[in-house]
Amino acid sequence: MKKLISIAAAGILLLSLAGCASGGETPAAGGSDGPKALDELVVGFAQVGAESGWRTANTKDVQAAFKDAGIELKFSDAQQKQENQIKAIRSYIQQGVDYIAFSPVVETGWDAVLNEAKAAGVPVILTDRAVDSQDESLYVSFLGSDFIEEGQKAGAWVVEEFADADSVKIVQLEGTTGAAPAIDRAEGFAEVIGEDDKFEIVASQTGDFTRAGGLQVMEALLKSNPDIDLVYSHNDDMGLGAIEAIEAAGLVPGVDIKIVTVDAVKDGMQALADGKINFIVECSPLLGAQLVDIVETLNEGGTVERRIVTEETTFTQEQAIEALPDRQY
């Protein structure tokens, strides 16, 4: 496992992303009494929900990693509602947990509750998604993907795939409105395809990261935009819903309408292997071991990087066929 421990005097400069604080390392969060035994630690984890195969895999991986480490994990499912996450965080503060980790439903609206955690001396770790706050002290670290880069990777494939086309009409299936991956994946994609005006996003609508949402939105968009060349979906699940709608309309997904998605969960990878999806940008949900490492490092009095970017790749059909037998999620 890549160690996150660093020496405070090292003065390492770190990466920053849009909406994330920039600058050096986060100081140790532990108290003056020395580290606790791992089986004495309690961590509260406020999950977004179970809206997708990615999220389910993320939950299982985090729970398994803390169980293996012998650290107690209190878990809550926000059912994609910010108010539920805020309630869970406040409950964790009242219970006196040692650390709080959460994946924010949306980017904004967290300052009040995170200030409560700060006042109570409970360090907060962001996983998967960022918060948009001017106060850099409200969380100790953000562990997750570079969503803008994911959008850029999707856009780069589209530009290459349609190099010889005169015009390309694109439908974008957005993630949850206000969520960091939805905002950033749209931004990165638009940045790349915007360099050539032959690419036109004729419709962009949220499917809320769910398969049912992707199906419903795609059914409507096919009626209002019959000449779609490409679907860009912010996650696999919405893309899989779009496939159902495309097939129901008598069209062939991956041929009549090409599809690019983000995540690379097993169902999406299988659709890619079958030729129904054309390209997938990976966003790994396996953050559990790194999250445990952050907690252990802080508990031992070490320091952690404020921004920890997960390493990910992309998949074509051939690569998906090769990767599927050993896919963990």
Side-chain angles (χ1 to χ4, degrees):
M1 182 192 309
K2 179 182 178 182
K3 290 301 291 178
L4 304 175
I5 298 175
S6 57
I7 304 303
I12 300 173
L13 296 178
L14 304 170
L15 294 172
S16 65
L17 297 180
C20 300
S22 62
E25 298 172 343
T26 300
S32 58
D33 297 331
K36 286 186 176 182
L38 294 184
D39 60 5
E40 294 177 351
L41 287 175
V42 181
V43 177
F45 184 67
Q47 182 61 285
V48 172
E51 77 282 2
S52 64
W54 191 100
R55 189 65 54 189
T56 300
N58 177 243
T59 293
K60 289 180 178 178
D61 185 64
V62 169
Q63 290 175 326
F66 277 88
K67 182 178 180 180
D68 290 345
I71 300 172
E72 181 180 351
L73 184 73
K74 294 182 179 292
F75 178 84
S76 65
D77 180 342
Q79 299 179 327
Q80 293 184 273
K81 295 180 180 178
Q82 184 178 30
E83 59 266 31
N84 290 345
Q85 278 195 315
I86 291 173
K87 182 179 178 180
I89 292 169
R90 287 189 169 133
S91 174
Y92 293 148
I93 295 169
Q94 292 169 358
Q95 293 175 58
V97 302
D98 297 293
Y99 301 92
I100 292 172
F102 80 111
S103 181
V105 175
V106 295
E107 284 191 334
T108 59
W110 300 104
D111 281 29
V113 70
L114 294 186
N115 268 302
E116 292 172 27
K118 179 182 175 181
V122 183
V124 173
I125 304 159
L126 304 179
T127 69
D128 175 43
R129 300 180 181 182
V131 297
D132 185 1
S133 174
Q134 297 300 313
D135 189 346
E136 300 180 2
S137 68
L138 295 181
Y139 61 93
V140 297
S141 186
F142 167 35
L143 165 66
S145 303
D146 184 335
F147 300 131
I148 291 179
E149 184 179 23
E150 290 171 352
Q152 291 170 338
K153 289 177 180 178
W157 181 87
V158 171
V159 169
E160 182 177 353
E161 180 68 15
F162 290 93
D164 297 330
D166 295 326
S167 65
V168 183
K169 293 184 177 181
I170 301 169
V171 160
Q172 180 171 231
L173 302 181
E174 303 173 17
T176 302
T177 302
I183 295 169
D184 292 351
R185 286 170 185 167
E187 179 183 334
F189 185 76
E191 176 186 317
V192 174
I193 67 166
E195 296 177 2
D196 190 334
D197 59 11
K198 77 178 181 182
F199 295 104
E200 179 186 5
I201 298 179
V202 296
S204 186
Q205 190 170 331
T206 179
D208 217 20
F209 283 127
T210 68
R211 193 173 305 198
L215 170 61
Q216 183 178 6
V217 170
M218 196 65 203
E219 285 176 339
L221 293 180
L222 281 168
K223 293 176 182 177
S224 57
N225 300 276
D227 298 323
I228 299 168
D229 298 302
L230 173 81
V231 172
Y232 168 47
S233 174
H234 288 183
N235 77 340
D236 290 343
D237 280 77
M238 291 188 297
L240 292 167
I243 287 171
E244 293 182 41
I246 291 168
E247 290 178 332
L251 300 171
V252 180
V255 178
D256 295 326
I257 299 177
K258 296 191 175 181
I259 302 174
V260 178
T261 66
V262 180
D263 273 354
V265 297
K266 273 190 175 179
D267 285 353
M269 292 283 278
Q270 187 60 60
L272 177 58
D274 294 339
K276 295 183 178 184
I277 291 176
N278 303 89
F279 188 72
I280 295 180
V281 178
E282 184 180 39
C283 179
S284 175
L286 306 181
L287 306 181
Q290 288 177 286
L291 181 56
V292 167
D293 204 9
I294 292 171
V295 169
E296 291 181 350
T297 297
L298 294 173
N299 180 56
E300 293 165 3
T303 56
V304 298
E305 298 175 357
R306 283 194 59 79
R307 181 65 174 103
I308 302 167
V309 180
T310 51
E311 295 182 5
E312 294 152 341
T313 187
T314 60
F315 293 95
T316 61
Q317 182 179 26
E318 294 76 13
Q319 290 167 332
I321 292 170
E322 182 178 352
L324 264 172
D326 299 320
R327 200 70 178 156
Q328 296 182 54
Y329 57 94

